[in-house]
Amino acid sequence: MASDELARKLQSRLAATSAATGEPGPESPQHQQQQQQQPLPAAPQSPVRPRTPMDSPNHHPNDNNQPGASGGGGGGEESPSELTAKLNRRLDINDGNAAPRLSRVFNPYTEFKEFSRKQIKDMEAMFKRYDTGRDGFIDLMELKLMMEKLGAPQTHLGLKNMIKEVDEDFDGKLSFREFLLIFRRAAAGELQEESGLMALARLSEIDVSTEGVMGAKDFFEAKAQALSQGSKFEAEIREEKEEKKRQEEDRKQRRAAFKQLQSAFCS
């Protein structure tokens, strides 16, 4: 009872105070309406970061390394320029404008039967001497050095035309087979007299003295009138073997003579 009486006194005191100040009391309808209209404070929000491919449930840890991923192409894919070059070459081969690369083993002794084994070996030695890059080809700069050494320097355009005339695979350089084609075409009279390739054939260091002819042109004409190639090839093999036997006999005789001379001084 005392508490109820105290509560009534407090309420009356608050009502009197509110009436004096003009503010609604806590039990007045105006105060309750203000409490209902006041908005509730917003709940704190956590910072939100943008979604990335890593957040996807289907994402695999190795997806970034797959071909075609952003940041670089796959290692096994070819660039558009390489594919275009291959397609263009295939079209040129189909149209007859380019020769396919032959994968067969090249044997100069069987393919270039118009030349002797000694001549082919001399040509091979000359080819290797000017193949300074040791890649099995003579490029434009190596051909330039060769023609300067032979005393017949050519212009840049002249060197390109020399390569183009025998460049069967269109790679812009001379293989050993294409190098031999220079001498074959010179022998067949297919080269112009004042061309760079004819100058190369004439000024090369090929030894033609054993053929009994003078000059590269006469040498090629003599070779064109040679005997059948099969018997000639066998004769060259026999000649090489006989030459090795003669050299061995000479070495034995020199050793015997040296021993005799040595024993004479010791006695």
Side-chain angles (χ1 to χ4, degrees):
M1 298 296 293
S3 60
D4 293 339
E5 186 179 358
L6 180 62
R8 283 195 299 270
K9 290 181 178 181
L10 289 174
Q11 289 179 359
S12 61
R13 178 66 60 87
L14 289 174
T17 304
S18 299
T21 59
E23 293 180 358
E27 298 297 332
S28 65
Q30 294 85 350
H31 179 78
Q32 293 179 359
Q33 185 178 4
Q34 289 179 0
Q35 291 292 333
Q36 292 176 356
Q37 293 178 356
Q38 185 176 1
L40 297 175
Q45 297 181 355
S46 60
V48 180
R49 63 181 179 88
R51 290 178 60 84
T52 64
M54 298 292 290
D55 299 325
S56 174
N58 298 326
H59 175 76
H60 191 274
N62 294 329
D63 284 350
N64 291 337
N65 297 328
Q66 296 297 326
S70 61
E77 295 183 357
E78 294 178 339
S79 64
S81 59
E82 293 176 348
L83 292 175
T84 302
K86 289 184 178 181
L87 290 175
N88 289 337
R89 174 165 177 78
R90 176 55 56 186
L91 291 175
D92 290 339
I93 293 175
N94 294 338
D95 296 340
N97 298 326
R101 293 185 177 90
L102 303 178
S103 59
R104 62 186 178 85
V105 178
F106 167 58
N107 188 337
Y109 302 107
T110 58
E111 184 172 350
F112 291 86
K113 296 181 178 180
E114 63 268 33
F115 302 121
S116 66
R117 287 174 59 86
K118 183 179 184 303
Q119 294 297 328
I120 290 178
K121 288 182 178 180
D122 290 343
M123 295 174 190
E124 184 178 11
M126 179 181 181
F127 181 87
K128 290 182 177 179
R129 181 164 62 252
Y130 291 103
D131 179 20
T132 56
R134 299 294 185 267
D135 57 353
F137 297 94
I138 292 181
D139 58 21
L140 187 70
M141 295 306 298
E142 292 168 341
L143 181 61
K144 178 178 181 294
L145 176 62
M146 176 190 295
M147 298 307 295
E148 290 175 353
K149 293 288 186 181
L150 293 177
Q154 303 289 317
T155 63
H156 183 80
L157 181 60
L159 293 169
K160 293 181 67 174
N161 290 334
M162 289 176 63
I163 294 177
K164 183 178 180 181
E165 194 164 350
V166 292
D167 187 14
E168 292 187 336
D169 55 3
F170 302 99
D171 60 354
K173 50 189 176 182
L174 298 177
S175 64
F176 180 52
R177 183 183 182 278
E178 293 166 344
F179 185 71
L180 293 177
L181 285 177
I182 299 174
F183 298 91
R184 169 179 282 179
R185 294 187 180 183
E190 299 176 357
L191 299 179
Q192 297 181 0
E193 191 70 19
E194 302 300 327
S195 66
L197 293 182
M198 179 59 76
L200 189 156
R202 286 182 174 178
L203 298 174
S204 62
E205 300 174 0
I206 299 175
D207 183 12
V208 297
S209 60
T210 57
E211 305 295 333
V213 295
M214 297 299 294
K217 182 177 180 180
D218 295 335
F219 163 71
F220 290 124
E221 293 175 353
K223 298 303 295 182
Q225 301 174 359
L227 300 174
S228 61
Q229 301 304 324
S231 59
K232 178 183 176 183
F233 186 80
E234 295 175 357
E236 290 173 352
I237 295 292
R238 290 194 298 269
E239 184 178 354
E240 288 183 1
K241 291 181 178 179
E242 292 174 359
E243 180 65 23
K244 290 181 180 179
K245 289 181 179 179
R246 288 194 294 268
Q247 293 177 359
E248 185 63 26
E249 289 294 333
D250 291 341
R251 284 195 292 268
K252 290 181 179 179
Q253 292 178 3
R254 287 196 296 270
R255 284 196 296 266
F258 178 77
K259 289 181 180 179
Q260 292 178 0
L261 183 61
Q262 188 178 22
S263 61
F265 278 106
C266 294
S267 59

